[in-house]
Structures are given as C-alpha cells and as structure tokens.
C-alpha cells in the first residue's frame, strides 16, 4: 500500500519493518516525530531519554544485548552523544544499531547548521543519505543489515527537508528478527586501553571492507544523460539537481561515507566537467579533491543555509547553460536569470571572491623548494653514511623483548575498596555494565567481572538497554557500576532515565570519595574545590532519592557479606535501586592499618585468596604469603579464606 | 656540560617512586645550563603498572622522548621492567638495576612465571651492568620507600652533575621531614655505585 509519509514517519516504519525492538531519543527538531511514531508500535520499546547521550547508551546496551536498536536526535544532539558514539564505533554492535542524525540546514529551529557527516567520518562509520521518504524507509532497513554485516553502527543522516517532507512510501510487513544471543566479550565491549588499541585496528580493517562495499552497492548509482556535464550529489541536493539540471549525468551517492574511490574516479573521468552539489559543507567535494579529482563545488554552491533548485540553477545551472541551455530547466533558468527568486546568501554565482593567486615570486620560490627537496634528502643520507664510518653508531642492547616475558597490567591497589565488590559480582556471576575509572580494572584477570565499558557515565544507560532488549528477568542479573566522581560527571542522567522509563536495574556507586584514577582530585561530592577550599558537599544518597530511587542502601565496601546481601536484595527488587559501596580510596589513608599474615599451619593451599587479585598476596608453592610492605590491612583476604588462616598481625594466636 | 644529549631512562613499577626520581634527576641536570626534557609515561593505574620516565639533557634537546637503542643509562627499579625496556639501552650503555623482584599479577596468580637470572642475562647483553640491592640499602637509610634515591645515588656517580646540584635538587623535591632519610639513601647508593 502506498501512502504519503514524512521522512521521519517513513524512518519509523522502516525500522519497525526491520524488526526494531528498542528506540531512544531526546526530542529535537527535526527528529522528534521518529520516536513519537515508534512509540505507537507495540513491538517496539521507545523512550524519551533525559538527553541524547543516554539515548545512544540505551541503544548501545540493547544492540549489545542482541536487539535491533535505534537512537534518534537532531544534529546538535550528536554533540551530546559524541562520547559514546566514538567508542561505539570501536566496539561495534551485536544486533544492528542505527543512529539517526537529523541535521537542520537553514536553522529552522536550531542554534547552528553543523554538517554531521563529519561525525560519521570521524567515527569511521557508514553514513547513509536518503533523498526522499521511500529512500528513508529503504535505507533504514538496509542500515540494520549493513550494521550487522560489518559489525558497525550506521549513521542515517536526514536533513529538515527530508525529515519533514511528505512523499509516497510503499509500506511492507514487519520482519521479526530473533534476539541475538548475548555473549560476554570484554575484549570487544570493555574499552580498556589495551582492548581499545586492538579494536582501532578492527575499525581500520572494517573501513577497508566498507570501501569495497561502497564501490558496488546500489546505494550509489549513476544516471547517465549528457556526458559533457556530470554532477555528484547526495540527499536532498539530488532532488534539486534533478529538477534544475534535467539534462546532465548524475552520480547519486546514497552512501556518502566511505566514498567509493573507483566509482567516483570513473564518473569524473567519463564526463567533461564535473560539479559537486551538496548542502552545507564540502564533505564529498573535499574527499574528491583529496583523490586528486578536478571538480567544481563550493566555488559556486553556497556553504551557508539550505539549498534549493533555484540556487542550483543560479549557480551550476548558469555555468552549464553557457555550454548548452538545454541542460538546464527552462523555468528555473529564466527565474535565475531574472533574479526574481530569493537568494540563499552572498556566496552565490559571480559574487564569490576570486581565488587569490600566488604572486610570481612566491610561485618561483615554491617551485625552487620543490626542485631542491630531493637533493636535500640525498645530502642528509650522505651525511649519515659518512658519520657511520667515522663514529660508532649507537646500537641497541637487545633488539627484542622476549615474547614470554610476563606482562605487568595495571591493577587495583592493595586495599582498594573496589576489589571486594568485584569479587562478589564475579561470585554472583552478574552481567556488569561498567564505567570509566579505577574500577574499569574489575574487567581484568583474575576478577574479570565486567561486561561493557563504553564511556564515562554510560554504565546505567547500557544496563537499561540490556534490560529493554532482554527483559526484566535478564535485568535481575544486570548491575551497573560507577564511581562517585563519574556518577556526578554524567551518571545521574542514566539513573534518571531508569527511574523515568520504568527500568528495574541496580546501580552500584563505588564511592571512594575522590577522583582516584587521575590522582585524587576533588569533585562536588568531596566537599572541597580545586583550590582545596571548603564547598557544599553533594550527597549521593539524596541525589539518588531526588532522582526518584526509593531503594538506596549504603554498605561498607570491605564488608563482603553486607555487599553480597545488598546486591542480592537489590537485584531481586523489581524497581530501580542504588547501592552505595563506600570506603575511601586506599591511597588516601593516612595511617596504615595493621597488616595481615598467613598462619602456615592453617593454610589449606586452596588458593581462593588469589581470586582477589591483590598484589600483596602470592603463593610460595605450598601456601599463601602476604607482602608486609604492600599489605594495606583491608582484611578482604581474611574474609575470603575458608580456613581462617589469614589473620591480623598480632592476633595470630587468637 | 656534555657535548651530546645524555639519555636516561628510569623504569619501574607504579608506586616505586620513579617519577619523583625523575624529578630530582631533571632538576639536578638543569644545573648544567643546557636543556632538559622529561616525559613520564605511565598507564591507567595509580599503582602496579609499568612506569617509565625519560630524562634527556644536553646543550639542545628537541624531542622529549628518546628512540629505542639510544639510552645512555637505564636505571631499573625492578628486574623484570629492566628486561622489558632493555631494547632502549645502547649496547655500550650502563644498566643500573635494583636486584628486586616485584612479581606482576599474572605471576602472583600463577598464570605466568617470573624469569630466572634476569640480571645475568642482561649482563651478557649490555656492556656495563651495576646490580644493587637498593631495597636493603633503603632500609638501612631508614625507609624502604627510599629505593629511588639509592638508585639516583648510584646513577650520580656516572653523570657530570655536581654533588651540590644533586643536593639542591633533592631538597627542592622532597618534603623536609623525609629529606635526611633521602640524603642518606642517596649517599648509600653513591657509595655502592663506586
């Protein structure tokens, strides 16, 4: 059945047909109608998040959890969501994830006109640009498949004119896509530096594969006409070109990042003159120039404001008409010549300033420098060879580090209050949506109690997405963990989202009363400013309650029984809950506690204490040994020892 | 003032005081009147990870980091870290190594073993090796945490920096109540390095 839909409704329809399960957004013109439409489909969970960052984090949690998901926002919203986006590009997805960026050329209701295709390029993810509602729907469906095929989020870039214009759409049936399995993969979803480094290589390999795909996909198509003039265009600009320049050959790009090098080169070479017509920034044009292709674009087409058919006629059309008036739409050509149509701005047609030319002397100098370059390089090589003969060349002591040399990964300090919480989380085999800070080290052996870490503040949004993808029963097994400083940085909005949108998850705030990872800086919860002046102290319990959490517990991080009991109670609760596990950072302690020692008679050599991953604890072969210099006296090892062989120094005989 | 740039690499484990040692060395090197450039390279842990400080000084220093194979001195606070960073040392450079083992987590948990005879192996790979029990010397100086100044004392023997400059650098880098212990540790390292 064909019906007239605005692009946003076509997008919602396409996402629904593609088996979408989870969608989140913060309203922003011109993207708002997407969630409004999705919220009407019973098969889709759609929510308003407190901001775009949380919306994307919820979508990320859902995608990792195996459900096709979508986050929609206006262009400036992506600025707010850029933090998770850049790392999402590294982790990739499980089920498909579409990020809708609805840009607003012409600032109909925005504070700027930014061109978000640069975000796709920055994140190295595919960017799709539909040109009407039908394409919006088709590309939305394709975006999910593409994302799953290449394990990448996909940006679907609309502009106001696409998002809010009606055009016919053929609707189809919903395809139920089964939930993908959730598999814990810390190397893929916990972006510690060591894992992130490896994933960056994956991103680069993926870009190469996407390039190959871009060459052959029907998203990019050539419409041959007069071969004297070619136009490369995308999105709404395609419609303006087709209207104003009916006689020219057109390369319509549906996939504008990455750009298919062979296809564009072939097209540019097949026409006598090639123009690039795109709205806002020279995004495609700059990439063509970087390929060494001679094209004309922003010298003619304005970079400011919304594009239109008349602007295309006035700019490119005026040039093309000199060659053959028949290439330009006669009505538009007449209007353009008459100057009766409104202009888009000062940078049109012949009003543009001339390109400043190099002066004769500058040009001569430039040429001389280029000619001299090889000679300079050769002289440098000669000099080095000569030196090597006269002086001993510095030679490295050993060219390689032995492959079997044990690594020295960063780890939680002796006495770290986070250690016990992660020990319990591992014991309870919970799914842990983590965050950025010392506690990210809960992902490393032997604790390995973390499933995801996307960006600062993402833990609860991801936990929420996992719940919405896999259901409230799965949520019984999910906790978010976040530090006190990070909670105040950007964790509060995630908690607010969970309360507002009926999540039932548990957030553990690992409160060590400082910003530990970076060297113990103060924050609004410490009661001091950067200059160490007294300041109002933000109260985490009150904040959690103020955000609407009714279940708030405070536990002693070192009291493993209390930590375990609290986690079991709160994960079982069918409403949002917060556990504040509190103990100051071990490095802040002024006085050292009495150390612990091992009673050799009692030690069973069970090695349970090693599961804590405490650097002060090791095995000498037959029994546990505690390094008295490193031991901080936290006593966690004594609590996990089943034989009660570990005791506080001075209490050995107790 | 040395004619060429002198490269000193300080390697150790987070918490051992390599960064403070680097600060003392760089302040002392400033007394030579040339340029000093320092880079602290450490990972995400406050403690326990591999930590490297690079100090370069001479008449003119450009890059703040040195290339592999160009360190004139490597002062290693721990043996395993010495071996890990050994490719940075020149074959005819000086390795000053604290003969102390701090097993990393994979060794503590039994997932890996600490290599044997690291000092002997490295002694065969480089021209000059000075191994010392800096932990014991620091204990004798009055505080086990003064390992870093023991090692600076051993290094100081081999650098064209005056004792007065070292002492001024120490005094300006270490809190007053710890100064005597650190000076003593430096002296013990100096003597051991003879």
């Amino acid at each position: 059945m064909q019906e007239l839909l605005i692009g946003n409704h076509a997008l919602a329809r396409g996402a629904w047909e593609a088996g979408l399960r989870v969608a989140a957004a913060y309203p922003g013109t011109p993207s708002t109608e997407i969630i409004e439409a999705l919220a009407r489909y019973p098969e889709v969970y759609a929510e308003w998040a407190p901001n775009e960052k949380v919306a994307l984090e919820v979508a990320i949690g859902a995608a990792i959890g195996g459900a096709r998901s979508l986050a929609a926002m206006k262009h400036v919203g992506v600025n707010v969501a850029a933090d998770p986006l850049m790392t999402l590009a590294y982790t990739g997805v499980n089920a498909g994830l579409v990020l809708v960026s609805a840009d607003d050329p012409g600032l109909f209701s925005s504070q700027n006109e930014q061109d978000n295709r640069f975000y796709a390029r920055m994140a190295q993810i595919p960017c799709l640009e539909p040109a009407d509602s039908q394409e919006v729907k088709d590309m939305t469906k394709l975006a999910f498949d593409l994302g799953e095929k290449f394990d990448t989020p996909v940006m679907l870039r609309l502009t106001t004119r696409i998002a809010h214009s009606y055009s016919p759409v053929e609707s189809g049936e919903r395809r139920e896509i089964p939930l993908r399995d959730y598999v814990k993969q810390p190397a893929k979803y916990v972006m510690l530096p060591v894992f992130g480094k490896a994933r960056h290589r994956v991103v680069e390999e993926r870009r190469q594969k996407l390039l190959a795909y871009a060459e052959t996909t029907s998203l990019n198509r050539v419409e041959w006409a007069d071969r004297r003039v070619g136009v490369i265009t995308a999105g709404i600009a395609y419609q303006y070109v087709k209207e104003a320049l009916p006689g020219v050959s057109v390369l319509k790009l549906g996939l504008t990042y990455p750009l298919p090098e062979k296809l564009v080169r072939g097209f540019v070479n097949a026409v006598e003159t090639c123009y690039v017509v795109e709205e806002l920034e020279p995004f495609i044009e700059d990439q063509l120039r970087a390929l060494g292709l001679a094209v004309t674009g922003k010298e003619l087409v304005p970079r400011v404001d919304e594009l239109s058919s008349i602007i295309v006629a006035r700019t490119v059309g005026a040039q093309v008409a000199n060659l053959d008036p028949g290439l330009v739409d006669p009505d538009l050509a007449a209007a353009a010549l008459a100057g009766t149509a409104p202009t888009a701005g000062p940078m049109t047609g012949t009003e543009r300033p001339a390109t400043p030319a190099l002066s004769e002397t500058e040009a001569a100098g430039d040429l001389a420098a280029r000619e001299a370059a090889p000679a300079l390089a050769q002289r440098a090589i000669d000099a080095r060879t000569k030196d090597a003969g006269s002086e001993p060349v510095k030679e490295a002591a050993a060219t390689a580090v032995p492959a079997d040399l044990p690594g020295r990964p960063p780890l939680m300090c002796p006495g770290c209050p986070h250690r016990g919480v992660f020990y319990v989380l591992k014991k309870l085999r919970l799914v842990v949506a983590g965050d950025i800070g010392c506690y990210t080290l809960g992902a490393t052996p032997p604790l390995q109690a973390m499933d995801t870490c996307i960006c600062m503040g993402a833990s609860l949004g991801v936990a929420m997405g996992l719940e919405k993808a896999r259901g409230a029963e799965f949520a019984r097994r999910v906790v978010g963990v976040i530090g006190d400083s990070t909670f105040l940085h950007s964790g509060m909005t995630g908690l607010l989202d969970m309360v507002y949108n009926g999540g039932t998850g548990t957030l553990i705030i690992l409160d060590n009363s400082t910003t530990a990872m970076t060297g113990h800086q103060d924050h609004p919860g410490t009661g001091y400013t950067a200059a160490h002046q007294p300041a109002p102290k933000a109260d985490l319990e009150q904040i959690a309650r103020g955000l609407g959490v009714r279940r708030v517990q405070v536990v002693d991080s070192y009291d493993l029984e209390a930590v375990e009991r609290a986690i079991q109670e709160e994960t079982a609760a069918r409403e949002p809950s917060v556990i504040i596990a509190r103990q100051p950072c071990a490095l802040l302690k002024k006085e050292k506690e009495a150390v612990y020692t091992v009673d050799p008679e009692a030690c069973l050599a069970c090695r349970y204490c090693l599961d804590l991953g405490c650097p002060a604890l090791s095995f000498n072969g037959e029994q546990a040994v505690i390094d008295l210099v490193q031991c901080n006296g936290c006593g966690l090892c004594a609590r996990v020892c089943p034989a009660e062989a570990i005791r506080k120094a001075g209490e050995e005989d107790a | 003032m040395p004619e060429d740039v002198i490269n000193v690499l300080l390697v150790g484990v987070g918490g051992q005081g390599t960064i403070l040692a680097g600060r003392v060395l760089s302040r002392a090197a400033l007394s030579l009147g040339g340029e000093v450039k320092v880079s602290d390279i450490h990972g995400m842990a406050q403690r326990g990870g591999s930590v490297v400080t690079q100090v370069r000084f001479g008449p003119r220093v450009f890059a703040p980091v040195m290339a592999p194979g160009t360190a004139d001195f490597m002062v290693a606070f721990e043996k395993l870290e010495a071996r890990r960073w050994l490719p940075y040392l020149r074959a005819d450079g000086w390795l000053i190594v604290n003969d102390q083992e701090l097993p990393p987590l994979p060794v503590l948990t039994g997932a890996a073993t600490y290599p044997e005879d690291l000092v002997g192996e490295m002694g065969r790979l480089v021209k000059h090796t000075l191994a010392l029990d800096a932990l014991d010397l620091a204990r004798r100086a009055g505080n086990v945490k003064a390992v870093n100044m023991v090692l600076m004392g051993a290094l100081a023997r081999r650098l064209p920096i005056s004792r007065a400059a070292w002492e001024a650098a120490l005094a300006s880098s270490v809190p007053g109540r710890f100064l005597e212990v650190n000076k003593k540790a430096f002296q013990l390292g100096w003597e051991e390095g003879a």
Side-chain angles (χ1 to χ4, degrees):
Chain A
M1 188 189 79
Q2 235 188 16
E3 54 184 327
L4 282 174
L5 296 179
I6 58 167
N8 284 345
H9 287 162
L11 196 152
R13 177 82 195 181
W16 176 79
E17 288 178 13
L20 178 77
R21 287 170 188 258
V22 175
Y26 180 86
T29 309
S31 69
T32 311
E33 298 82 1
I34 296 166
I35 284 290
E36 289 181 332
L38 284 170
R40 288 196 285 270
Y41 291 112
E43 299 89 344
V44 176
Y45 165 78
E47 70 163 46
W48 292 127
N51 65 33
E52 293 85 354
K53 178 178 183 292
V54 175
L56 182 55
E57 287 158 358
V58 168
I60 290 170
I64 291 175
R68 285 191 164 187
S69 69
L70 175 148
M73 53 202 70
K74 68 182 295 176
H75 58 321
V76 288
V78 181
N79 301 339
V80 182
D83 196 9
L85 174 61
M86 293 303 141
T87 302
L88 168 64
Y90 278 34
T91 65
V93 294
N94 179 17
L97 185 156
V98 173
L99 168 66
V100 181
S101 172
D103 295 7
D104 191 18
L107 301 100
F108 291 90
S109 56
S110 304
Q111 58 272 48
N112 72 28
E113 287 194 294
Q114 71 189 44
D115 188 332
N116 275 10
R117 295 178 296 178
F118 289 103
Y119 270 116
R121 187 174 177 188
M122 186 170 171
Q124 308 283 313
I125 61 172
C127 179
L128 299 178
E129 287 193 76
D132 60 28
S133 294
Q134 181 67 49
E135 277 196 2
V136 171
K137 201 196 90 167
D138 295 344
M139 285 192 188
T140 303
K141 293 169 80 170
L142 180 92
F144 287 104
D145 295 337
L146 197 63
E148 285 166 13
K149 182 176 159 139
F150 291 97
D151 191 8
T152 178
V154 177
M155 177 186 276
L156 190 63
R157 187 225 188 197
L158 309 184
T159 52
T160 304
R161 209 50 51 209
I162 298 293
H164 283 167
S165 294
Y166 288 85
S167 60
V169 175
E170 191 75 45
S171 53
E173 295 303 310
R174 177 172 165 94
R175 197 174 128 220
E176 281 302 339
I177 307 287
L179 203 60
R180 291 188 166 209
D181 290 340
Y182 172 72
V183 184
K184 177 170 172 166
Q185 295 180 74
K188 187 168 187 290
Y189 296 122
V190 178
M191 287 301 97
L192 280 165
V194 58
F195 294 144
K197 220 167 164 166
R199 290 301 299 181
H200 195 179
R201 295 184 191 284
V202 174
V203 169
E204 181 52 19
E205 284 160 21
R206 182 180 73 200
R207 194 182 64 82
Q208 299 287 349
K209 287 177 193 156
L210 282 164
L211 260 174
Y213 170 80
E215 296 287 359
T216 54
T217 175
S218 57
L219 286 165
N220 303 321
R221 65 165 188 265
V222 177
E223 297 171 3
W224 288 118
D226 194 310
R227 297 209 178 203
R228 288 174 296 177
V229 176
V231 176
I232 299 177
T233 186
I236 191 64
Y238 164 80
Q239 310 291 6
Y240 302 145
V241 168
K242 291 298 280 186
E243 182 159 311
L245 311 171
V248 305
S249 293
V250 173
L251 168 56
K252 177 190 182 298
L253 296 173
L255 181 65
T256 49
Y257 190 82
L259 211 57
E261 182 181 334
K262 286 183 199 135
L263 181 67
V264 293
R265 195 181 290 283
F267 182 78
V268 174
N269 291 336
V271 297
E272 283 174 28
T273 311
C274 190
Y275 297 91
V276 182
V277 178
E278 58 191 320
E279 206 163 45
L280 295 182
E281 296 302 304
F283 178 76
I284 298 168
E285 181 184 341
D286 284 353
Q287 294 182 71
L288 296 175
R289 289 188 195 277
L291 292 171
L293 298 173
V295 292
T296 303
K298 291 297 166 189
E299 301 98 316
L300 300 172
V301 183
R303 201 166 170 159
V304 174
D305 211 342
E306 202 180 20
L307 205 56
S308 66
S309 302
I310 189 73
I311 294 171
V312 175
R314 281 171 57 95
T315 56
V316 178
Q319 304 281 322
V320 171
N322 292 334
L323 182 74
D324 181 347
L327 295 174
V328 186
D329 177 80
D331 293 341
L332 285 170
L337 286 173
T340 51
T343 59
M347 288 284 286
T348 52
T350 53
E351 293 160 27
R352 74 191 165 88
T355 310
L358 280 177
S359 74
E360 221 166 280
T361 41
E362 278 171 332
D366 184 47
L367 187 66
R370 266 183 286 147
E371 283 178 348
L376 281 173
Q378 189 55 51
R379 277 210 295 280
I381 292 166
D382 291 346
R384 208 178 306 152
T385 319
K386 183 167 149 278
D387 279 356
S390 58
E391 275 178 53
V393 174
K394 287 185 180 180
E395 195 187 320
T399 48
V401 176
D404 57 351
L405 208 65
R408 193 178 294 275
L411 43 87
M412 289 187 269
C413 304
C416 175
H418 304 332
R419 175 172 282 111
V421 176
F422 280 106
Y423 179 82
V424 173
L425 291 173
K426 183 188 187 183
K427 182 180 167 194
L428 298 176
R429 295 164 182 255
L430 294 174
V431 173
V432 179
D435 225 293
I436 307 284
C438 292
Y439 40 90
T440 317
L441 297 170
T444 56
L447 293 161
Q448 292 177 293
M450 194 175 284
D451 287 53
T452 69
C453 174
I454 304 294
C455 72
M456 192 169 276
S459 55
L460 211 55
V462 170
M464 177 76 170
L466 282 165
E467 172 172 355
K468 292 303 175 186
R470 305 196 74 85
E473 276 319 300
F474 187 79
R476 303 280 81 75
R477 312 208 35 72
V478 179
V479 295
V481 294
I482 195 166
D484 48 325
S485 185
T486 305
F487 176 69
L488 297 172
H489 171 280
S490 51
M492 294 188 287
T493 43
L495 185 57
L496 182 61
D497 182 65
M498 183 166 280
V499 172
Y500 169 52
N501 286 305
T504 64
T506 301
L507 179 67
I508 304 174
I509 303 178
L510 299 165
D511 179 8
N512 62 3
S513 309
T514 186
T515 316
M517 185 63 112
T518 44
H520 303 104
Q521 290 73 25
D522 282 299
H523 62 65
T526 66
Y528 291 96
T529 65
H532 213 67
Q533 297 301 306
K537 186 173 171 175
D539 181 325
L540 300 182
E541 291 101 301
Q542 289 300 322
I543 290 172
R545 291 188 198 281
L547 292 170
V549 181
R550 289 181 299 183
R551 302 184 62 100
V552 182
Q553 289 201 40
V554 181
V555 293
D556 175 349
S557 305
Y558 290 145
D559 186 346
L560 294 185
E561 291 80 16
V563 169
E564 182 168 343
R565 197 166 49 241
I567 293 174
Q568 282 183 323
E569 281 169 16
E570 298 311 334
T571 50
R574 288 168 193 271
E575 62 176 290
S577 47
V578 168
I579 300 167
I580 300 172
R582 182 172 286 153
Q583 270 290 347
C585 171
L587 298 181
L588 287 179
K589 281 191 186 166
K590 298 275 187 296
E591 298 299 322
K592 188 166 166 168
E593 303 269 333
V595 297
Y596 279 72
T597 56
V598 182
D599 175 357
E601 300 294 313
C603 177
L604 301 173
C606 65
R607 293 176 174 258
Y608 283 2
C609 54
L610 291 186
D611 290 346
L612 286 167
C614 176
L617 244 171
S618 61
F619 245 68
N620 70 358
E622 295 86 39
Q623 65 192 55
V625 194
I626 295 172
D627 176 357
L628 302 183
V629 174
Q630 291 202 63
C631 177
N632 185 283
C634 75
L636 282 179
C637 51
R639 289 175 189 267
V640 304
C641 176
E644 297 182 14
I646 303 179
R647 295 166 205 161
K648 203 159 200 160
E651 294 175 4
E652 287 91 341
D653 302 323
Chain B
M1 155 105 53
E3 280 181 27
D4 286 329
V5 172
I6 293 180
N7 291 328
V8 183
L9 190 71
L10 309 178
V11 304
V13 176
Q16 280 194 298
T18 50
I19 290 177
L20 178 64
R23 195 182 309 156
V24 172
L25 166 59
S26 48
R27 284 180 178 171
L30 267 179
S31 70
L32 297 172
E35 279 190 335
V36 181
K37 290 193 178 174
V38 185
S39 287
D40 292 323
I41 302 171
H42 53 90
M44 55 188 290
Q46 281 286 339
R47 272 195 188 177
S50 177
V51 176
V52 177
T53 294
Q54 304 201 2
V55 182
R56 312 189 69 210
F57 55 94
R60 190 81 202 269
V61 181
F62 292 102
V65 288
M66 61 191 80
T70 65
D72 302 285
F73 298 90
M74 179 160 85
V75 183
F77 290 49
E78 202 273 345
K79 285 188 285 188
L80 183 60
E81 295 314 302
R83 185 63 193 93
R84 193 187 315 285
W85 293 95
L86 197 63
Y88 269 75
L89 190 63
R90 298 165 48 172
D92 59 346
W94 263 99
L95 170 66
I96 298 169
V97 56
N98 177 18
D99 193 358
Q100 186 189 352
E101 285 184 21
L102 283 174
L105 199 61
V107 172
L108 293 177
T109 58
T113 50
Y114 197 96
E116 286 177 16
D117 191 30
L118 279 170
V119 170
E121 185 203 332
M122 291 188 291
R124 288 186 287 279
L125 291 167
V126 302
K127 198 164 174 186
H128 312 286
T129 303
L130 170 67
L132 65 170
D133 188 343
L135 186 63
D136 184 54
L137 292 166
R139 202 175 279 127
R140 277 162 50 192
N143 191 334
V144 289
K145 288 185 177 170
V147 161
N148 52 356
M149 289 314 137
V150 172
L151 292 166
M152 284 305 96
L155 171 71
R157 276 268 180 190
R158 292 165 179 79
L159 290 180
I161 301 173
S162 72
R163 272 302 289 260
W166 278 104
E167 275 164 27
L170 251 178
S172 68
S173 309
V174 174
R177 60 203 162 102
F178 296 123
L179 187 58
E180 275 316 305
V181 167
N182 278 287
K183 278 164 86 169
K184 195 167 174 198
F186 186 91
Q187 180 60 30
L188 289 174
W190 173 275
E191 288 163 14
E192 188 78 10

